[in-house]
Amino acid sequence: MSTNAPNPASGDEESTSNFPFVGWLRDVAPYIHSFREKTFVIAFAGELVKEIGLENIIEDIAMLHAMGMRIVLVHGIRPQIEEQLKLRKIKSKFGTSALNTYRITDAAALECVKEAAGELRLDIEAAFSRGLPNTPMAGSRISVISGNFITAMPVGVVDGVDYIHTGLVRKVDSTSITLSLDSNKIVLLSPLGFSPTGQAFNLAYEDVAASTAAALKADKLIFLSPYSGLRDADGELITELSLPQLQDYMSAHKELEIGLRGLLNISGRAVRSGVSRVHFLPCNQDGALLEELFTHDGIGMMLASSDIENLREANQDDVGGILQLTMPLEEEGILAARGQDVIERDIQRFSVIEHDRVLFGCAALFPFPNGVGELACLAVDPDVQGSGDGERLLKRIEMRAKQENIKKLFVLTTRTEHWFLKRGFKRATVDDLPEERKQIYNWDRKSMVLTKDL
Protein backbone atom coordinates (compact mmCIF):
# COMPACT_ATOMS: atom_id res chain seq x y z
CA MET A 1 0.00 0.00 0.00
CA SER A 2 1.38 3.47 -0.98
CA THR A 3 1.74 6.08 1.73
CA ASN A 4 2.86 9.41 0.27
CA ALA A 5 0.36 12.00 -0.91
CA PRO A 6 -0.34 15.72 -1.03
CA ASN A 7 -2.05 17.38 1.89
CA PRO A 8 -5.84 17.17 1.37
CA ALA A 9 -6.24 20.58 2.91
CA SER A 10 -3.83 22.27 0.52
CA GLY A 11 -6.63 23.40 -1.77
CA ASP A 12 -4.60 22.92 -4.95
CA GLU A 13 -6.66 22.65 -8.14
CA GLU A 14 -5.56 20.93 -11.33
CA SER A 15 -6.38 21.61 -14.93
CA THR A 16 -7.83 18.86 -17.07
CA SER A 17 -6.33 17.45 -20.26
CA ASN A 18 -7.52 15.50 -23.26
CA PHE A 19 -4.45 13.27 -22.96
CA PRO A 20 -4.83 10.64 -20.18
CA PHE A 21 -1.09 10.27 -19.67
CA VAL A 22 -0.87 13.95 -18.63
CA GLY A 23 -3.23 13.33 -15.74
CA TRP A 24 -1.40 10.14 -14.84
CA LEU A 25 1.96 11.92 -14.85
CA ARG A 26 0.60 14.64 -12.58
CA ASP A 27 -0.80 11.99 -10.25
CA VAL A 28 2.53 10.19 -9.83
CA ALA A 29 4.69 13.33 -9.58
CA PRO A 30 4.30 13.64 -5.76
CA TYR A 31 5.49 10.05 -5.35
CA ILE A 32 8.48 10.64 -7.60
CA HIS A 33 9.50 13.69 -5.56
CA SER A 34 9.00 11.79 -2.31
CA PHE A 35 11.00 8.72 -3.39
CA ARG A 36 13.96 10.50 -4.98
CA GLU A 37 17.25 9.60 -3.25
CA LYS A 38 15.46 7.04 -1.06
CA THR A 39 16.96 3.58 -0.63
CA PHE A 40 14.81 0.62 -1.70
CA VAL A 41 15.77 -3.01 -1.20
CA ILE A 42 13.70 -4.99 -3.72
CA ALA A 43 13.67 -8.77 -3.33
CA PHE A 44 11.97 -11.16 -5.71
CA ALA A 45 11.46 -14.90 -5.47
CA GLY A 46 12.85 -17.19 -8.14
CA GLU A 47 9.25 -18.05 -8.96
CA LEU A 48 8.86 -14.60 -10.52
CA VAL A 49 11.20 -15.62 -13.35
CA LYS A 50 8.99 -18.66 -14.01
CA GLU A 51 5.69 -16.76 -13.74
CA ILE A 52 6.24 -13.52 -15.66
CA GLY A 53 9.89 -13.51 -16.73
CA LEU A 54 12.68 -11.04 -16.05
CA GLU A 55 12.10 -8.50 -18.80
CA ASN A 56 9.28 -6.41 -17.34
CA ILE A 57 10.48 -6.39 -13.72
CA ILE A 58 13.94 -5.28 -14.84
CA GLU A 59 12.39 -2.50 -16.94
CA ASP A 60 10.32 -1.38 -13.94
CA ILE A 61 13.38 -1.32 -11.68
CA ALA A 62 15.36 0.57 -14.34
CA MET A 63 12.57 3.16 -14.37
CA LEU A 64 12.81 3.59 -10.59
CA HIS A 65 16.56 4.00 -10.91
CA ALA A 66 16.07 6.66 -13.59
CA MET A 67 13.77 8.53 -11.22
CA GLY A 68 16.59 8.83 -8.69
CA MET A 69 15.83 5.93 -6.35
CA ARG A 70 18.76 3.98 -4.87
CA ILE A 71 18.14 0.31 -5.62
CA VAL A 72 19.49 -2.85 -4.05
CA LEU A 73 18.11 -5.89 -5.87
CA VAL A 74 18.03 -9.33 -4.23
CA HIS A 75 16.92 -12.42 -6.17
CA GLY A 76 15.80 -15.85 -5.03
CA ILE A 77 16.68 -19.11 -6.79
CA ARG A 78 14.62 -21.91 -5.23
CA PRO A 79 12.96 -23.21 -8.43
CA GLN A 80 16.23 -22.76 -10.30
CA ILE A 81 18.01 -24.91 -7.69
CA GLU A 82 15.33 -27.57 -8.12
CA GLU A 83 16.00 -27.58 -11.87
CA GLN A 84 19.71 -28.08 -11.33
CA LEU A 85 19.09 -30.88 -8.83
CA LYS A 86 16.78 -32.68 -11.26
CA LEU A 87 19.32 -32.37 -14.07
CA ARG A 88 21.87 -34.08 -11.84
CA LYS A 89 19.30 -36.54 -10.44
CA ILE A 90 19.85 -35.35 -6.89
CA LYS A 91 16.97 -35.48 -4.42
CA SER A 92 16.03 -32.32 -2.52
CA LYS A 93 16.35 -32.53 1.25
CA PHE A 94 14.77 -30.14 3.72
CA GLY A 95 14.63 -29.68 7.45
CA THR A 96 12.02 -27.73 9.39
CA SER A 97 12.74 -25.67 12.49
CA ALA A 98 10.28 -23.78 14.64
CA LEU A 99 10.81 -20.66 12.54
CA ASN A 100 11.33 -21.81 8.95
CA THR A 101 12.07 -24.57 6.48
CA TYR A 102 15.68 -24.79 5.30
CA ARG A 103 17.26 -26.72 2.46
CA ILE A 104 19.89 -29.20 3.60
CA THR A 105 22.77 -28.16 1.36
CA ASP A 106 25.40 -30.86 1.03
CA ALA A 107 28.41 -30.54 -1.28
CA ALA A 108 26.49 -31.73 -4.37
CA ALA A 109 23.54 -29.43 -3.65
CA LEU A 110 25.90 -26.49 -3.10
CA GLU A 111 27.22 -26.90 -6.65
CA CYS A 112 23.61 -26.70 -7.88
CA VAL A 113 23.10 -23.55 -5.80
CA LYS A 114 26.18 -21.93 -7.32
CA GLU A 115 25.08 -22.89 -10.83
CA ALA A 116 21.56 -21.52 -10.32
CA ALA A 117 22.75 -18.29 -8.69
CA GLY A 118 25.41 -17.63 -11.31
CA GLU A 119 23.10 -18.25 -14.23
CA LEU A 120 20.28 -16.03 -12.91
CA ARG A 121 22.70 -13.29 -11.88
CA LEU A 122 24.13 -13.18 -15.41
CA ASP A 123 20.61 -13.11 -16.88
CA ILE A 124 19.74 -10.14 -14.66
CA GLU A 125 22.92 -8.26 -15.58
CA ALA A 126 22.26 -8.94 -19.26
CA ALA A 127 18.69 -7.65 -18.91
CA PHE A 128 19.96 -4.40 -17.38
CA SER A 129 22.42 -4.05 -20.27
CA ARG A 130 19.77 -3.98 -22.99
CA GLY A 131 19.53 -0.63 -24.72
CA LEU A 132 17.78 -1.23 -28.02
CA PRO A 133 15.99 1.76 -29.55
CA ASN A 134 12.22 1.90 -29.16
CA THR A 135 12.30 -0.16 -25.95
CA PRO A 136 11.83 0.98 -22.34
CA MET A 137 15.55 0.38 -21.73
CA ALA A 138 16.71 2.61 -24.60
CA GLY A 139 19.51 4.91 -23.43
CA SER A 140 19.36 3.62 -19.86
CA ARG A 141 23.11 2.92 -19.45
CA ILE A 142 22.61 1.22 -16.07
CA SER A 143 25.63 -0.12 -14.22
CA VAL A 144 25.06 -3.14 -11.97
CA ILE A 145 27.53 -4.22 -9.32
CA SER A 146 27.62 -7.42 -7.30
CA GLY A 147 30.23 -8.98 -5.04
CA ASN A 148 31.02 -10.52 -1.68
CA PHE A 149 28.96 -8.06 0.33
CA ILE A 150 27.45 -10.76 2.58
CA THR A 151 29.34 -12.54 5.35
CA ALA A 152 27.59 -15.76 6.33
CA MET A 153 27.67 -18.32 9.11
CA PRO A 154 26.34 -21.88 9.12
CA VAL A 155 22.89 -22.76 10.36
CA GLY A 156 24.68 -25.69 11.99
CA VAL A 157 22.92 -28.61 13.62
CA VAL A 158 19.30 -27.94 14.60
CA ASP A 159 17.16 -30.62 16.28
CA GLY A 160 19.70 -33.23 15.27
CA VAL A 161 19.78 -32.17 11.60
CA ASP A 162 23.06 -30.92 10.12
CA TYR A 163 22.31 -28.31 7.44
CA ILE A 164 25.97 -28.40 6.27
CA HIS A 165 26.35 -25.57 3.68
CA THR A 166 23.07 -23.80 4.50
CA GLY A 167 23.76 -20.53 6.24
CA LEU A 168 22.45 -17.36 7.81
CA VAL A 169 23.53 -13.77 7.22
CA ARG A 170 26.13 -12.77 9.76
CA LYS A 171 27.14 -9.32 8.48
CA VAL A 172 26.41 -7.00 5.57
CA ASP A 173 29.13 -4.76 4.13
CA SER A 174 26.87 -1.71 4.20
CA THR A 175 29.78 0.68 3.65
CA SER A 176 30.69 -0.83 0.28
CA ILE A 177 27.04 -1.08 -0.75
CA THR A 178 26.49 2.58 0.14
CA LEU A 179 29.52 3.64 -1.87
CA SER A 180 28.15 1.76 -4.86
CA LEU A 181 24.74 3.39 -4.47
CA ASP A 182 26.41 6.79 -4.15
CA SER A 183 28.06 6.06 -7.51
CA ASN A 184 24.60 5.64 -9.09
CA LYS A 185 24.90 1.87 -9.41
CA ILE A 186 22.29 -0.81 -8.81
CA VAL A 187 23.61 -3.33 -6.31
CA LEU A 188 22.67 -6.94 -7.12
CA LEU A 189 22.80 -9.54 -4.35
CA SER A 190 22.47 -13.29 -4.81
CA PRO A 191 21.44 -15.60 -1.94
CA LEU A 192 25.01 -16.70 -1.32
CA GLY A 193 27.34 -15.69 1.47
CA PHE A 194 30.91 -16.43 2.45
CA SER A 195 32.52 -17.12 5.79
CA PRO A 196 35.83 -15.47 6.82
CA THR A 197 37.49 -18.80 5.96
CA GLY A 198 36.18 -18.63 2.38
CA GLN A 199 33.39 -21.19 2.69
CA ALA A 200 30.28 -20.58 0.58
CA PHE A 201 26.80 -20.87 2.12
CA ASN A 202 23.36 -21.17 0.61
CA LEU A 203 21.19 -18.39 2.11
CA ALA A 204 17.50 -17.54 2.06
CA TYR A 205 16.96 -14.54 -0.20
CA GLU A 206 14.52 -13.16 2.40
CA ASP A 207 17.29 -13.19 5.01
CA VAL A 208 19.70 -11.45 2.63
CA ALA A 209 17.14 -8.77 1.77
CA ALA A 210 16.00 -8.08 5.33
CA SER A 211 19.55 -8.03 6.73
CA THR A 212 20.69 -5.69 3.96
CA ALA A 213 17.72 -3.36 4.42
CA ALA A 214 18.38 -3.26 8.18
CA ALA A 215 22.10 -2.54 7.68
CA LEU A 216 21.33 0.29 5.24
CA LYS A 217 18.34 1.59 7.26
CA ALA A 218 16.47 1.39 3.96
CA ASP A 219 13.37 3.47 3.38
CA LYS A 220 11.54 0.49 1.88
CA LEU A 221 12.00 -3.26 1.80
CA ILE A 222 9.84 -4.79 -0.93
CA PHE A 223 9.19 -8.52 -1.30
CA LEU A 224 7.70 -10.01 -4.46
CA SER A 225 6.88 -13.51 -3.26
CA PRO A 226 4.57 -16.42 -4.17
CA TYR A 227 2.61 -16.12 -0.93
CA SER A 228 -0.95 -14.82 -0.99
CA GLY A 229 -1.78 -11.90 1.30
CA LEU A 230 -3.11 -12.00 4.84
CA ARG A 231 -6.86 -11.80 5.36
CA ASP A 232 -8.93 -10.39 8.20
CA ALA A 233 -11.85 -12.06 9.99
CA ASP A 234 -14.19 -11.09 7.13
CA GLY A 235 -11.93 -12.62 4.50
CA GLU A 236 -10.79 -9.21 3.22
CA LEU A 237 -7.17 -8.72 2.22
CA ILE A 238 -5.23 -6.75 4.81
CA THR A 239 -3.45 -3.77 3.29
CA GLU A 240 -1.68 -2.27 6.30
CA LEU A 241 -0.35 -3.59 9.60
CA SER A 242 1.68 -2.20 12.46
CA LEU A 243 4.29 -4.42 14.09
CA PRO A 244 2.12 -5.11 17.19
CA GLN A 245 -0.84 -5.92 14.93
CA LEU A 246 1.32 -8.36 12.96
CA GLN A 247 2.43 -10.09 16.14
CA ASP A 248 -1.19 -10.39 17.30
CA TYR A 249 -2.22 -11.75 13.90
CA MET A 250 0.50 -14.41 13.87
CA SER A 251 -0.38 -15.47 17.40
CA ALA A 252 -4.03 -15.87 16.42
CA HIS A 253 -3.33 -17.69 13.13
CA LYS A 254 -1.20 -20.72 13.88
CA GLU A 255 -2.24 -22.23 10.55
CA LEU A 256 -0.02 -19.89 8.50
CA GLU A 257 2.31 -21.91 6.30
CA ILE A 258 5.79 -21.97 7.72
CA GLY A 259 7.41 -20.21 4.74
CA LEU A 260 5.04 -17.24 5.03
CA ARG A 261 5.51 -17.19 8.80
CA GLY A 262 9.27 -17.08 8.27
CA LEU A 263 8.93 -14.18 5.81
CA LEU A 264 6.78 -12.22 8.27
CA ASN A 265 9.20 -12.88 11.14
CA ILE A 266 12.16 -11.70 9.05
CA SER A 267 10.22 -8.59 7.99
CA GLY A 268 9.33 -7.78 11.59
CA ARG A 269 13.01 -8.04 12.46
CA ALA A 270 13.83 -5.56 9.68
CA VAL A 271 11.26 -3.04 10.94
CA ARG A 272 12.58 -3.33 14.49
CA SER A 273 16.06 -2.67 13.09
CA GLY A 274 15.02 0.64 11.54
CA VAL A 275 13.55 -0.15 8.11
CA SER A 276 10.74 2.34 7.55
CA ARG A 277 8.32 0.19 5.52
CA VAL A 278 8.08 -3.41 4.32
CA HIS A 279 5.81 -4.15 1.35
CA PHE A 280 4.54 -7.60 0.34
CA LEU A 281 3.56 -8.00 -3.32
CA PRO A 282 2.53 -10.94 -5.54
CA CYS A 283 5.38 -12.18 -7.74
CA ASN A 284 3.02 -13.44 -10.46
CA GLN A 285 1.43 -10.11 -11.36
CA ASP A 286 3.13 -7.96 -13.97
CA GLY A 287 3.49 -4.32 -12.89
CA ALA A 288 2.85 -5.01 -9.19
CA LEU A 289 5.92 -3.00 -8.14
CA LEU A 290 4.85 0.16 -9.98
CA GLU A 291 1.23 -0.18 -8.93
CA GLU A 292 2.22 -0.45 -5.28
CA LEU A 293 4.55 2.54 -5.35
CA PHE A 294 2.62 4.94 -7.58
CA THR A 295 -1.07 4.43 -6.79
CA HIS A 296 -3.04 5.39 -3.74
CA ASP A 297 -4.48 1.97 -2.90
CA GLY A 298 -1.47 -0.04 -4.04
CA ILE A 299 -1.71 -3.76 -4.59
CA GLY A 300 -0.15 -5.43 -1.56
CA MET A 301 0.29 -5.22 2.19
CA MET A 302 2.50 -2.80 4.08
CA LEU A 303 4.16 -3.36 7.46
CA ALA A 304 5.40 -0.45 9.56
CA SER A 305 6.10 0.26 13.21
CA SER A 306 5.41 3.33 15.32
CA ASP A 307 3.93 5.67 12.70
CA ILE A 308 0.80 3.56 12.42
CA GLU A 309 0.57 3.25 16.18
CA ASN A 310 0.28 7.05 16.38
CA LEU A 311 -2.93 6.93 14.36
CA ARG A 312 -5.66 6.57 16.99
CA GLU A 313 -9.13 7.57 18.06
CA ALA A 314 -9.49 11.00 19.68
CA ASN A 315 -10.34 11.80 23.29
CA GLN A 316 -11.26 14.96 25.19
CA ASP A 317 -7.59 15.88 25.66
CA ASP A 318 -7.33 16.28 21.88
CA VAL A 319 -9.96 19.02 21.53
CA GLY A 320 -7.40 21.86 21.72
CA GLY A 321 -5.14 20.23 19.13
CA ILE A 322 -8.05 19.63 16.75
CA LEU A 323 -9.07 23.28 17.04
CA GLN A 324 -5.52 24.39 16.19
CA LEU A 325 -5.66 22.26 13.04
CA THR A 326 -9.13 23.24 11.90
CA MET A 327 -9.48 26.95 12.76
CA PRO A 328 -7.04 28.26 10.09
CA LEU A 329 -8.85 26.15 7.48
CA GLU A 330 -12.22 27.41 8.67
CA GLU A 331 -10.98 30.99 8.31
CA GLU A 332 -9.96 30.25 4.70
CA GLY A 333 -13.33 28.68 3.99
CA ILE A 334 -11.85 25.25 3.33
CA LEU A 335 -13.66 23.64 6.28
CA ALA A 336 -17.09 24.36 7.66
CA ALA A 337 -16.98 26.20 10.99
CA ARG A 338 -17.14 24.06 14.12
CA GLY A 339 -16.89 25.55 17.58
CA GLN A 340 -15.20 24.01 20.58
CA ASP A 341 -18.55 22.88 21.98
CA VAL A 342 -19.34 20.95 18.80
CA ILE A 343 -15.95 19.23 18.73
CA GLU A 344 -16.21 18.32 22.41
CA ARG A 345 -19.67 16.86 21.80
CA ASP A 346 -18.53 14.83 18.79
CA ILE A 347 -15.01 13.95 19.94
CA GLN A 348 -15.69 10.18 19.82
CA ARG A 349 -16.28 10.51 16.06
CA PHE A 350 -12.72 11.85 15.45
CA SER A 351 -9.49 10.03 14.60
CA VAL A 352 -6.14 11.80 14.97
CA ILE A 353 -2.48 11.40 14.03
CA GLU A 354 -0.07 12.21 16.84
CA HIS A 355 3.71 12.58 16.69
CA ASP A 356 5.57 13.19 19.94
CA ARG A 357 2.30 14.15 21.65
CA VAL A 358 1.53 16.80 19.02
CA LEU A 359 -1.47 16.41 16.71
CA PHE A 360 -0.66 16.66 13.02
CA GLY A 361 -3.96 15.54 11.51
CA CYS A 362 -7.60 14.76 12.24
CA ALA A 363 -10.73 13.46 10.54
CA ALA A 364 -14.25 12.55 11.67
CA LEU A 365 -16.91 10.02 10.71
CA PHE A 366 -20.62 10.71 11.20
CA PRO A 367 -23.06 7.83 10.55
CA PHE A 368 -26.43 8.25 8.85
CA PRO A 369 -29.24 5.74 8.27
CA ASN A 370 -29.15 3.10 5.52
CA GLY A 371 -25.42 2.41 5.74
CA VAL A 372 -24.24 5.91 4.80
CA GLY A 373 -21.55 7.94 6.58
CA GLU A 374 -20.00 11.39 6.26
CA LEU A 375 -16.25 11.95 6.20
CA ALA A 376 -15.79 15.38 7.77
CA CYS A 377 -13.15 17.71 9.15
CA LEU A 378 -10.19 16.07 7.38
CA ALA A 379 -7.24 18.36 8.14
CA VAL A 380 -3.45 17.94 8.13
CA ASP A 381 -0.85 20.34 9.49
CA PRO A 382 0.75 22.17 6.51
CA ASP A 383 4.22 21.55 7.97
CA VAL A 384 3.90 17.83 7.18
CA GLN A 385 2.33 18.26 3.76
CA GLY A 386 3.17 15.35 1.49
CA SER A 387 3.99 12.93 4.32
CA GLY A 388 0.94 10.76 3.65
CA ASP A 389 -0.92 11.65 6.86
CA GLY A 390 -4.03 12.64 4.90
CA GLU A 391 -4.17 9.25 3.21
CA ARG A 392 -3.65 7.41 6.47
CA LEU A 393 -6.51 9.33 8.05
CA LEU A 394 -8.74 8.53 5.09
CA LYS A 395 -7.89 4.83 5.42
CA ARG A 396 -8.63 4.99 9.15
CA ILE A 397 -12.06 6.52 8.55
CA GLU A 398 -12.79 3.90 5.89
CA MET A 399 -11.82 1.16 8.34
CA ARG A 400 -14.05 2.62 11.07
CA ALA A 401 -16.88 2.93 8.56
CA LYS A 402 -16.63 -0.75 7.64
CA GLN A 403 -16.65 -1.69 11.31
CA GLU A 404 -19.91 0.27 11.70
CA ASN A 405 -21.42 -1.44 8.62
CA ILE A 406 -21.29 1.78 6.60
CA LYS A 407 -21.31 0.93 2.90
CA LYS A 408 -20.95 4.41 1.39
CA LEU A 409 -19.02 7.52 2.42
CA PHE A 410 -19.76 11.06 1.32
CA VAL A 411 -17.73 14.22 1.79
CA LEU A 412 -18.50 17.90 1.22
CA THR A 413 -15.63 20.03 -0.04
CA THR A 414 -15.09 23.45 -1.59
CA ARG A 415 -11.40 23.29 -2.55
CA THR A 416 -10.06 19.73 -2.49
CA GLU A 417 -12.28 17.90 -4.97
CA HIS A 418 -9.40 16.48 -6.99
CA TRP A 419 -7.63 15.05 -3.94
CA PHE A 420 -10.72 12.96 -3.16
CA LEU A 421 -11.35 12.03 -6.80
CA LYS A 422 -7.86 10.54 -6.98
CA ARG A 423 -8.70 8.36 -4.00
CA GLY A 424 -11.81 6.70 -5.34
CA PHE A 425 -14.53 9.26 -4.69
CA LYS A 426 -16.99 10.20 -7.43
CA ARG A 427 -18.92 13.37 -8.08
CA ALA A 428 -22.49 13.46 -6.80
CA THR A 429 -25.19 16.04 -6.06
CA VAL A 430 -26.97 17.38 -3.02
CA ASP A 431 -29.90 15.12 -3.92
CA ASP A 432 -27.65 12.12 -3.26
CA LEU A 433 -27.18 13.10 0.40
CA PRO A 434 -29.16 11.43 3.19
CA GLU A 435 -32.37 13.36 3.93
CA GLU A 436 -31.13 14.43 7.38
CA ARG A 437 -27.91 15.84 5.90
CA LYS A 438 -29.70 17.43 2.97
CA GLN A 439 -31.81 19.49 5.35
CA ILE A 440 -28.77 21.15 6.92
CA TYR A 441 -26.76 21.58 3.70
CA ASN A 442 -25.23 25.08 3.60
CA TRP A 443 -26.30 26.59 0.27
CA ASP A 444 -24.12 29.64 0.88
CA ARG A 445 -20.95 27.51 0.84
CA LYS A 446 -22.15 25.51 -2.18
CA SER A 447 -19.88 22.61 -1.26
CA MET A 448 -19.28 19.91 -3.85
CA VAL A 449 -20.61 16.48 -2.95
CA LEU A 450 -18.43 13.40 -3.48
CA THR A 451 -19.24 9.77 -2.65
CA LYS A 452 -17.31 6.51 -2.39
CA ASP A 453 -18.58 2.94 -2.13
CA LEU A 454 -16.74 0.88 0.48
Side-chain angles (χ1 to χ4, degrees):
M1 174 180 176
S2 301
T3 57
N4 295 279
N7 186 344
S10 66
D12 293 337
E13 296 292 338
E14 300 174 64
S15 61
T16 59
S17 171
N18 292 326
F19 297 96
F21 84 90
V22 174
W24 173 84
L25 195 57
R26 289 170 177 165
D27 286 345
V28 303
Y31 300 104
I32 296 172
H33 291 309
S34 178
F35 295 154
R36 184 177 295 277
E37 297 300 321
K38 296 296 191 296
T39 300
F40 292 179
V41 176
I42 302 171
F44 67 84
E47 287 83 354
L48 179 144
V49 182
K50 300 290 184 182
E51 295 281 349
I52 63 173
L54 275 177
E55 181 176 334
N56 288 344
I57 186 67
I58 295 302
E59 290 175 356
D60 293 348
I61 292 169
M63 191 185 307
L64 300 182
H65 181 261
M67 293 177 186
M69 297 162 213
R70 296 154 60 88
I71 306 294
V72 178
L73 184 60
V74 183
H75 68 86
I77 50 172
R78 285 175 192 138
Q80 290 78 14
I81 294 173
E82 290 299 322
E83 283 186 0
Q84 293 296 326
L85 290 170
K86 286 180 181 177
L87 286 173
R88 304 183 190 199
K89 298 181 180 179
I90 301 173
K91 185 178 180 181
S92 295
K93 293 179 287 185
F94 294 91
T96 301
S97 71
L99 296 178
N100 214 334
T101 297
Y102 295 100
R103 183 185 299 276
I104 299 171
T105 311
D106 57 19
L110 182 61
E111 291 306 310
C112 295
V113 171
K114 292 178 180 177
E115 185 76 22
E119 183 176 340
L120 185 51
R121 180 174 61 82
L122 288 173
D123 287 345
I124 292 170
E125 291 176 351
F128 275 118
S129 300
R130 289 197 312 270
L132 292 175
N134 301 319
T135 71
M137 299 288 288
S140 55
R141 306 291 297 175
I142 294 173
S143 180
V144 180
I145 188 167
S146 57
N148 57 340
F149 295 116
I150 305 297
T151 302
M153 60 183 180
V155 170
V157 179
V158 180
D159 296 332
V161 178
D162 187 355
Y163 289 87
I164 315 176
H165 296 291
T166 299
L168 301 170
V169 175
R170 180 180 179 183
K171 185 180 179 182
V172 176
D173 186 357
S174 57
T175 301
S176 295
I177 293 175
T178 300
L179 287 172
S180 298
L181 295 174
D182 290 343
S183 299
N184 200 35
K185 309 208 183 276
I186 289 179
V187 176
L188 175 61
L189 302 179
S190 297
L192 282 169
F194 306 93
S195 70
T197 60
Q199 267 190 302
F201 288 96
N202 174 28
L203 308 176
Y205 84 95
E206 299 96 332
D207 186 18
V208 174
S211 299
T212 302
L216 296 174
K217 295 294 185 287
D219 299 283
K220 288 185 184 294
L221 168 59
I222 302 170
F223 285 108
L224 293 106
S225 81
Y227 300 111
S228 57
L230 303 181
R231 294 183 180 272
D232 60 21
D234 297 324
E236 298 290 330
L237 283 171
I238 297 173
T239 59
E240 188 173 285
L241 279 176
S242 66
L243 197 53
Q245 288 171 332
L246 175 63
Q247 293 166 341
D248 291 343
Y249 186 95
M250 293 177 67
S251 297
H253 294 78
K254 303 295 186 183
E255 75 282 1
L256 288 176
E257 56 183 302
I258 194 163
L260 174 57
R261 185 174 289 273
L263 174 61
L264 296 173
N265 278 323
I266 283 174
S267 301
R269 184 189 75 195
V271 171
R272 286 190 291 272
S273 299
V275 177
S276 298
R277 299 284 188 269
V278 182
H279 298 254
F280 305 89
L281 310 179
C283 71
N284 60 353
Q285 185 163 333
D286 185 25
L289 180 61
L290 298 183
E291 189 170 349
E292 174 71 5
L293 292 175
F294 296 114
T295 64
H296 168 246
D297 292 325
I299 195 174
M301 184 181 78
M302 183 187 73
L303 173 66
S305 58
S306 58
D307 284 348
I308 295 178
E309 292 174 325
N310 292 332
L311 179 55
R312 58 175 175 79
E313 314 315 334
N315 57 55
Q316 289 294 332
D317 293 336
D318 298 318
V319 172
I322 292 173
L323 283 170
Q324 287 183 344
L325 287 169
T326 58
M327 286 180 65
L329 301 176
E330 291 175 6
E331 292 171 359
E332 293 181 39
I334 296 173
L335 293 179
R338 297 171 188 270
Q340 180 173 339
D341 293 343
V342 174
I343 293 177
E344 288 179 349
R345 182 195 68 196
D346 297 329
I347 192 65
Q348 78 279 2
R349 308 307 315 175
F350 280 80
S351 298
V352 295
I353 284 182
E354 177 189 56
H355 299 290
D356 295 327
R357 300 185 180 182
V358 177
L359 294 192
F360 279 85
C362 67
L365 172 67
F366 295 94
F368 286 85
N370 301 319
V372 178
E374 179 179 8
L375 165 63
C377 214
L378 177 55
V380 175
D381 191 306
D383 289 340
V384 295
Q385 183 176 4
S387 67
D389 283 349
E391 296 195 46
R392 285 191 281 274
L393 283 164
L394 174 59
K395 287 293 182 184
R396 183 66 164 219
I397 293 299
E398 290 177 355
M399 181 193 73
R400 290 184 65 177
K402 290 176 181 178
Q403 291 173 347
E404 297 183 31
N405 293 318
I406 292 172
K407 305 298 183 184
K408 176 180 285 190
L409 279 181
F410 70 88
V411 63
L412 304 182
T413 180
T414 57
R415 305 252 192 112
T416 55
E417 177 192 22
H418 286 85
W419 191 89
F420 289 105
L421 289 174
K422 290 178 188 176
R423 285 145 187 90
F425 283 80
K426 297 180 180 179
R427 293 183 178 91
T429 68
V430 177
D431 291 335
D432 296 311
L433 295 174
E435 193 60 37
E436 296 89 337
R437 188 64 179 84
K438 196 185 306 182
Q439 292 175 2
I440 58 173
Y441 178 82
N442 188 338
W443 290 97
D444 291 331
R445 281 176 56 82
K446 295 182 180 178
S447 299
M448 291 169 279
V449 179
L450 304 170
T451 63
K452 181 178 184 179
D453 293 325
L454 300 180

